[in-house]
Amino acid sequence: MAELKTQQNDANVKDFIHEFANSEQKIADSLLLLELFEKITSYKPKMWGDSIIGFGKYHYKSERSTQKGDWPLVGFSPRKTAISLYVYSSGAGQDQLIEKLGKFKMGKGCIYVKKLSDIDQKVLEEIILSTVDFLQNKYGKI
């Protein structure tokens, strides 16, 4: 089985934000998200691969294949077109929270926002907490 490319590493998170984010707005929003995620999860930010900032981790095993590995509980990335928020687990109550989040687009496993002011940060906090709870209940705490 091939090893996952996206692994936790020791790259500097703030350096990454300043080098990777393509606007002052995205840098400011990313630094705010950094504080928000750390405050909510109590986990220190870690780089995962070249472009994901993750908080905490869990060990998963796919139910449909032999794939397994570690992945951040929650995280984000200041991508070129939008900030990707890796916070959605489809856990209980999350669909109702998503309806109150604000202006965003939804991907398969993440939420895309142009700027942080487009969404309700209190609702984001609830989504982050519910995802951490869901994943730790399903996979256990590491």
Side-chain angles (χ1 to χ4, degrees), residues 7-13 46-49:
Q7 303 234 359
Q8 184 176 305
N9 62 69
D10 292 325
N12 186 290
V13 172
K46 294 284 188 178
M47 288 301 303
W48 285 77

Side-chain angles (χ1 to χ4, degrees), residues 6-7 16 24 31 34 48 74-75 94 103 110 117 122 132 134 137:
T6 306
Q7 303 234 359
F16 161 74
E24 289 301 317
L31 293 173
L34 203 60
W48 285 77
V74 290
Q94 280 200 331
K103 185 178 174 184
C110 65
S117 61
K122 292 292 181 198
V132 169
F134 173 81
N137 285 330

